[in-house]
Every structure is written in structure tokens, then in C-alpha cells.
Amino acid sequence: MAMKQIQLIQQPVRETSISWSSLFPHDTTTITGSEMFIKQLTALMFSCITHIRGIFPEYAFEDKTLDDRKVKLLKGHYECKNAYLMTRWLKSAFKALDSQYMQTLILELLTLDDQPLEYYAVDYTYANNEPSCSFRANNRKEK
């Protein structure tokens, strides 16, 4: 009796190569440029955290290369419902940022029994209508 061979066909990973200067605008001296930079930096941060922590499956991310550094960015497609919801949540937060309502954006990771494990926060300020941000992280287990 002949055994059938099953061949798995793996779709090639589409990797896009971009530079930091193409991802982040050069002109951060304008309010619009600063807002765009802050949004892109925030999205990159949350994408990297969710990938490193294994929050979403691998197919929820797309491969990007930034100046020879590989990063994973959330796709925002409906293939993974929770990743899609997170990208929608970030877009809503960015609308609040545009209106200068956003003060802090927090991603808190919980244990299976809903105990705080760690959190990541982006604090936004708007001095003279110019946005800026700072990042905080806290591993609750270290306390």
C-alpha cells in the first residue's frame, strides 16, 4: 500500500523594505508633521509589543524592514478579529489625538485570571498646540 505524501504549501511572506525616513516624515517642525510622527511611532510601538508578547497570531502582522531591521506591523485586516479591533481602537485614539483630547493611551496586559501583569503607556501633551509624547512601561511582577 503506497503512502500518500502531503505537501504543505506555504505562502511566501511578503516583506516590504522601507526606510525610517519614509515611515516617519522628515518635517516634524510643523504641527501636522509632528502629529503624523507621533501616530506612526505609537502604531509601531503597539505593533511591536503585541508581536513580541504573542497577543495576536503571526498572520495578523505584516513583515516590514526598516533600514535592515525587521519589524512586524499589525495589518488591520479582518483576518484576525481582535487585531482588527485593536487597529480600529488605535485609529479612534488618533482622532482624539487630532482633537487634542488624548492624554494617555495605555495597553495593559493581564494574566488569565485578570490580574495586571504589565502595561505600556504613551503620554501626550500639547504645548502651544504642538503635540509631543513620552513612553512608560511597567512590569508589575518586578514590584
Side-chain angles (χ1 to χ4, degrees):
M1 180 175 194
M3 293 185 68
K4 289 186 179 181
Q5 255 188 338
I6 299 175
Q7 182 179 8
L8 296 177
I9 300 173
Q10 184 177 6
Q11 293 181 349
V13 175
R14 200 179 98 198
E15 188 174 299
T16 308
S17 182
I18 55 177
S19 66
W20 286 102
S21 58
S22 67
L23 180 63
F24 300 115
H26 287 287
D27 189 13
T28 56
T29 58
T30 66
I31 292 173
T32 305
S34 293
E35 287 173 351
M36 184 58 67
F37 177 79
I38 288 170
K39 289 175 188 177
Q40 291 170 329
L41 190 61
T42 301
L44 179 63
M45 181 187 89
F46 280 96
S47 290
C48 289
I49 291 167
T50 55
H51 181 261
I52 290 169
R53 293 293 180 220
I55 306 296
F56 304 119
E58 192 66 31
Y59 63 85
F61 298 90
E62 66 180 310
D63 294 314
K64 295 281 186 179
T65 302
L66 294 173
D67 291 337
D68 297 327
R69 289 178 182 87
K70 291 187 178 189
V71 295
K72 300 280 190 170
L73 296 178
L74 279 171
K75 288 182 189 178
H77 296 156
Y78 202 71
E79 296 168 343
C80 177
K81 183 181 178 183
N82 290 331
Y84 172 77
L85 292 174
M86 180 155 185
T87 58
R88 299 285 300 175
W89 170 69
L90 280 170
K91 288 177 184 179
S92 295
F94 293 157
K95 288 179 184 177
L97 181 66
D98 289 338
S99 302
Q100 297 188 353
Y101 294 137
M102 180 67 66
Q103 291 182 3
T104 303
L105 185 61
I106 297 174
L107 173 64
E108 185 171 35
L109 304 181
L110 305 174
T111 62
L112 292 175
D113 57 347
D114 289 334
Q115 297 301 310
L117 182 62
E118 59 191 39
Y119 75 87
Y120 302 89
V122 186
D123 296 311
Y124 301 98
T125 56
Y126 308 95
N128 300 322
N129 286 329
E130 295 180 19
S132 64
C133 66
S134 60
F135 302 96
R136 294 182 285 128
N138 185 0
N139 184 330
R140 308 270 174 135
K141 281 190 165 184
E142 291 177 357
K143 286 190 169 186

